[in-house]
Amino acid sequence: ALTGSAACGKSHLLGDSVAKRKQDGLLSIFMLGTYFSTGEDPWWQIIKHCDIKCGVEEFLCSLNLLAQIRQSRIIFFIDAVNEGNGKNLWQHYIGSFIERLKSYEWLGLVMSVRRTYKELIFSDSVLVKNKIECCEHRGFEDVTDAAVKRFFTYYGLERINSPLLEPEFNNPLFLSLFCQGLSRSGYTRVPPGKLGITKILDLYMSGINRTLSDRLDYD
């Protein structure tokens, strides 16, 4: 299980992992938490979303056999299990869902959840009982300066010599919005004075408006 604060990069990490596995010829099944919109058994919801006409055991047996033939595990990635109906669904099904999968040695599972919902879905007892490894994604917490420099270079912004100490810059989405807002609004450097979240979002939206006006002739 992968946990972390909102917009810290959990979805990007899972998507990147799936993409790299595909490049290496490895098979994955990637699902979004929003796909689970009812109270039905999650395995049945997966099968329906994949538009497959078979039972759960036949589905898992077939995947397990394919993975064994290829001698590489097939991994289920389920991103943001707290979304959709997840807050209600998974606290009832998480144990049985994992228990069923554990019967197939060539299948694996990775799930991500926002930190504020972790205890609701992955309580300590659930983690211990199902032998779930839980990791926390801390965004750019340990590499903030390097991330800022790389983002600034990508967006054509003048690099800052002194490190940015605001904790918000640990958040990948915040840093992305910050750079996009400045770049789209015509800035090449960070303007003097402190930029609060309201100002940053205003810059981001004004940049989008400018793009719509210049390129698509919107008012």
Side-chain angles (χ1 to χ4, degrees), residues 137-171:
H137 193 323
R138 301 197 302 270
F140 294 144
E141 184 177 312
D142 299 323
V143 291
T144 303
D145 194 44
V148 168
K149 290 177 180 178
R150 180 168 293 190
F151 270 67
F152 274 42
T153 298
Y154 179 83
Y155 285 100
L157 300 172
E158 186 176 310
R159 292 170 64 173
I160 299 176
N161 293 325
S162 59
L164 289 166
L165 301 178
E166 286 82 355
E168 290 82 7
F169 286 95
N170 296 338
N171 187 292

Side-chain angles (χ1 to χ4, degrees), residues 10 36 48 51 53 74 90 100 115 120 128 130 155 162 198:
K10 300 183 297 297
F36 300 88
K48 288 180 179 179
D51 196 24
K53 307 297 183 184
I74 295 176
W90 291 107
R100 178 171 255 168
R115 182 191 297 150
L120 180 65
V128 172
N130 296 283
Y155 285 100
S162 59
T198 301

Side-chain angles (χ1 to χ4, degrees), residues 107 120 124 156 203 209:
L107 303 182
L120 180 65
D124 290 340
L203 283 173
N209 284 332

Side-chain angles (χ1 to χ4, degrees), residues 101-202:
L101 191 69
K102 283 163 63 176
S103 303
Y104 302 92
E105 61 176 325
W106 288 95
L107 303 182
L109 175 66
V110 177
M111 308 174 88
S112 73
V113 62
R114 187 175 297 181
R115 182 191 297 150
T116 48
Y117 296 101
K118 173 183 173 292
E119 287 300 320
L120 180 65
I121 299 173
F122 296 102
S123 63
D124 290 340
S125 60
V126 169
L127 293 175
V128 172
K129 181 179 179 180
N130 296 283
K131 299 179 180 179
I132 301 172
E133 293 289 339
C134 190
C135 302
E136 181 170 4
H137 193 323
R138 301 197 302 270
F140 294 144
E141 184 177 312
D142 299 323
V143 291
T144 303
D145 194 44
V148 168
K149 290 177 180 178
R150 180 168 293 190
F151 270 67
F152 274 42
T153 298
Y154 179 83
Y155 285 100
L157 300 172
E158 186 176 310
R159 292 170 64 173
I160 299 176
N161 293 325
S162 59
L164 289 166
L165 301 178
E166 286 82 355
E168 290 82 7
F169 286 95
N170 296 338
N171 187 292
L173 181 58
F174 178 88
L175 180 56
S176 178
L177 290 177
F178 181 83
C179 293
Q180 288 183 53
L182 292 177
S183 178
R184 288 177 173 174
S185 297
Y187 288 95
T188 58
R189 64 177 63 184
V190 179
K194 185 174 178 62
L195 291 177
I197 184 63
T198 301
K199 177 63 175 177
I200 291 171
L201 291 177
D202 283 345

